[in-house]
Amino acid sequence: QVQLVESGGGLVQAGGSLKLSCAASVRIFSFNAMGWYRQAPGKQRELVADITRSGRTNYADSVKGRFSISRDNAKNTVYLQMYSLKAEDTGVYYCNIILSTGTGYWGQGTQVTVSS
């Protein structure tokens, strides 16, 4: 069983920044992809950003130029640096990992609230 532990969420004013961390209980160099998703109240969970084993990154149009995903293989951790936060970025942010076996796992989520 893979465990993902997110941290770094909180309350921030619009225009501010936050950095989320996702620590995995497995060696992340063995993954196919890791990503951050978010779910706002009353909305479906959506992809925010992901990063493949080769380092290729992908971002939702709504966060391009403001968010950056990165990883630290030595710490088995993936990060999401968020700048210029907007009220519409509010939601629960979930970390996801897809292993080389194709199996996926979710973290428990961390709340991000942006006040306008």
Side-chain angles (χ1 to χ4, degrees):
Q1 183 74 14
V2 174
Q3 291 187 329
L4 302 172
V5 180
E6 300 108 329
S7 61
L11 173 64
V12 63
Q13 288 188 332
S17 62
L18 283 174
K19 186 175 184 178
L20 306 182
S21 300
C22 173
S25 62
V26 293
R27 302 288 294 276
I28 65 172
F29 67 73
S30 65
F31 72 95
N32 278 346
M34 288 190 75
W36 287 95
Y37 291 71
R38 68 187 179 193
Q39 188 165 19
K43 294 188 177 181
Q44 290 188 327
R45 192 173 298 186
E46 62 176 356
L47 174 68
V48 176
D50 61 17
I51 183 168
T52 67
R53 182 165 47 189
S54 66
R56 181 168 55 89
T57 58
N58 176 53
Y59 296 91
D61 287 343
S62 61
V63 306
K64 284 181 180 177
R66 299 188 297 121
F67 291 11
S68 178
I69 188 170
S70 62
R71 68 176 188 239
D72 184 333
N73 290 346
K75 296 182 179 180
N76 298 320
T77 299
V78 171
Y79 303 96
L80 184 68
Q81 178 68 60
M82 305 184 291
Y83 296 105
S84 302
L85 283 161
K86 305 176 181 179
E88 51 263 44
D89 294 319
T90 294
V92 179
Y93 283 68
Y94 296 92
C95 180
N96 173 267
I97 184 171
I98 300 176
L99 302 180
S100 56
T101 60
T103 306
Y105 295 89
W106 293 95
Q108 82 286 354
T110 185
Q111 176 70 44
V112 172
T113 302
V114 184
S115 62
S116 57

